[in-house]
Structure formats: C-alpha cells, structure tokens
Amino acid sequence: MGKLLIVGTVAFDAIETPFGKTDKILGGAATYIGLSASQFDVQSAIVSVVGDDFPQEYIDLLKNKNIDTSSLEVVKGGKTFFWKGKYHNDLNSRDTLVTELNTLADFNPVVPNDFKDADVVMLGNLHPNVQMSVIDQMTKRPKLVILDTMNFWMDNTLDELMKVIKHTDVITINDEEARQLTNEYSLVKAAGKIQEMGPKYVVIKKGEHGALLFNEDNVFFAPALPLEEVFDPTGAGDTFAGGFSGYLAATENTSFNNIKNAVIHGSNLASFCVERFGTERMQNLDKDEVNRRMLQFKALTQFDIEIQ
C-alpha cells in the first residue's frame, strides 16, 4: 500500500451559488484531496492547521476515511481559516467576499515521522514557503511531488514559487495560470516552458472542458463528464488532485500511461464533487458509484475508426 502525504488547508467555507447558499461548512484543499484520495487503497496523512473552533466531528470524519490526522495542528484559542465566496450564474467565475487566514497565517507544517518517506507528496494550494518546508522534511525523495498553486502566488511570491516548481515532478494548474506563469497563450508552448522549469508532467485544468496532460512530446486530453446539473464547483480542482494523487500512490506506477489513468480518475471524482454543496457528496461516496461513472467516462472517449 502506497503512502500519500497531503499538505493544504482544512477550513470553513461559506458558499453562495445560483442554487442556494450555506453557512460555515467543512472545506479546504487538504479536506477535498483527502476525501477524494480515500477512494483508493492508500495510507494518507494530512498536514494542516485549524483553531479550536473546528468541530471534532469533522476530524472524526477524516479519521473514519483512514486519513492520519496526527499532524493536523489544533491551535488553542485560534480560529480556523475561513473563505466566503459567491459564484456567478455561469459558475465559472466567482467573487471572494471574505478571506480570514487566522491560524494559517503562522502555519509551520510538521510532517509526521511515518510519512517522511511517503511515495507521493501532494502539495495543495498554500504559500510556496510552506510547500518547500514540507519537501525539505522528507527523508527520501518521493516517487512524485505534485504541486497545485494559483495566480495569487504568481503575483506575490514568484521567486519562492519558482523554487518549489524546480523540485516538483507534476504541476496542476488551470489554463489562465499556465498562461500567466509562462507569458504564452498557446497551452502547448506554455506546457513546454513549464517543463523546462522542473516538472516532468504538466496538467492543465480547463474546468468543464476537461484537462490536458503534457510530458515531453506526449499530450493526453481527458474530457469533463457532461453533467445535467452542476450545483457547486468549490473544491472540484482539489478533488481532481486527490483522485489523481491517490490513484498514483495506490498503483505505485509513475509511467506516462498510468498518469493518463490518474487524470481520468481525478476527473471522474471531480464530477461527483460539484453535485452538492462543499464536501457533502464526497463524504458518502461509495466505490460502486465511482466505478459506474468510470464506465461512462470510458464510453464518452472510446471509439473505433477506419482510416480510408
């Protein structure tokens, strides 16, 4: 059984979409990643921080998914990271209404001893210095270091981010971020430039239009499953990352062909995440549902053709 180390936020979210709104609910990149990765036969651990306002029932939920929470720091008297956002009618754009860093502002990650030799490290979207600190604590080089980041860090901490990218095997970013990072409009050219920065594999997410995987001269495209209803896109990218990294940790195979499979597994799980508010859908997802939808993905992309 492979080991997966997950670094990212465990948080409260308050979400408003055209379909309704929530009060504070469970959120955070590491939460979505962990719940998604729990669909696979992996040992996983979350490195994050919360305040003592964070309910024990949420921690128990993670533990019940066989996620090691020994390095989920609970700061006495502290408040948990909080994000509030409102999505526009197209669900592709949103406004951030509130961001409260709280305990995250002074977060110093501590990797649990049992996971310092993890096969796969999934660096969720956090300050690059926090991500680099985790890499530095590993006692052996992981088979894969996977990085998720965003334009905020490109705008404000580019030098630190470039240092992390240099130590990364796979980077997952969206198309807008890929263009910003490289000053290239063509995603093919952008992916080539990013590979020169360090990562062997580049995954460019295009939301409802799927995801692209680049490795040297190889390119693979995975569609997003057409859904009748998209309720809340919050956490879809992190759910993708959890499926992607969880599958790779479980299979312990980092070949290009297997990474293609990981992209499909990530896309498959992300399609569930958007069907309910927050983490609700991922909390009770069973393997039979996942497998049935994987067959839908296969039908969506498989065809026979005769070349005339």
Side-chain angles (χ1 to χ4, degrees), residues 127-304:
H127 195 294
N129 286 345
V130 173
Q131 295 173 324
M132 197 66 227
S133 171
V134 170
I135 293 172
D136 289 340
Q137 291 178 58
M138 305 304 291
T139 55
K140 72 169 190 177
R141 181 73 169 86
K143 289 181 181 176
L144 280 181
V145 176
I146 305 168
L147 171 69
D148 189 21
T149 191
M150 67 183 297
N151 48 13
F152 178 83
W153 306 118
M154 297 173 196
D155 290 336
N156 297 287
T157 59
L158 184 59
D159 290 345
E160 294 93 332
L161 177 59
M162 293 302 292
K163 184 179 177 185
V164 179
I165 289 174
K166 190 176 179 181
H167 288 81
T168 296
D169 301 296
V170 185
I171 186 170
T172 69
I173 53 178
N174 67 32
D175 45 0
E176 177 191 347
E177 292 156 352
R179 289 176 172 127
Q180 177 176 340
L181 186 59
T182 61
N183 292 315
E184 290 285 357
Y185 183 80
S186 162
L187 294 179
V188 176
K189 288 182 179 179
K193 276 195 174 181
I194 294 170
Q195 287 179 77
E196 291 172 4
M197 297 172 187
K200 188 176 179 183
Y201 300 96
V202 178
V203 179
I204 299 179
K205 299 172 289 186
K206 293 168 62 65
E208 64 180 319
H209 303 296
L212 288 158
L213 168 66
F214 296 88
N215 166 241
E216 297 177 346
D217 294 329
N218 300 308
V219 184
F220 174 71
F221 173 71
L225 192 70
L227 297 172
E228 199 167 306
E229 289 187 329
V230 175
F231 204 74
D232 171 24
T234 309
D238 296 314
T239 302
F240 172 91
F244 181 84
S245 58
Y247 175 81
L248 289 171
T251 56
E252 301 184 67
N253 177 349
T254 60
S255 68
F256 179 73
N257 279 338
N258 202 51
I259 290 179
K260 290 197 297 186
N261 291 335
V263 171
I264 293 291
H265 279 281
S267 299
N268 188 38
L269 287 165
S271 75
F272 288 102
C273 177
V274 301
E275 292 181 334
R276 298 285 188 277
F277 271 122
T279 60
E280 181 185 345
R281 189 70 171 94
M282 303 308 295
Q283 291 178 27
N284 304 303
L285 189 60
D286 66 56
K287 279 190 165 55
D288 286 342
E289 288 181 286
V290 174
N291 291 337
R292 283 196 299 271
R293 189 162 289 184
M294 184 61 80
L295 292 176
Q296 288 181 260
F297 259 98
K298 186 177 180 182
L300 183 68
T301 58
Q302 197 171 47
F303 60 90
D304 294 317

Side-chain angles (χ1 to χ4, degrees), residues 113-135:
N113 288 330
D114 288 347
F115 283 82
K116 288 184 176 178
D117 61 349
D119 304 285
V120 178
V121 175
M122 181 65 235
L123 300 172
N125 180 24
L126 279 174
H127 195 294
N129 286 345
V130 173
Q131 295 173 324
M132 197 66 227
S133 171
V134 170
I135 293 172

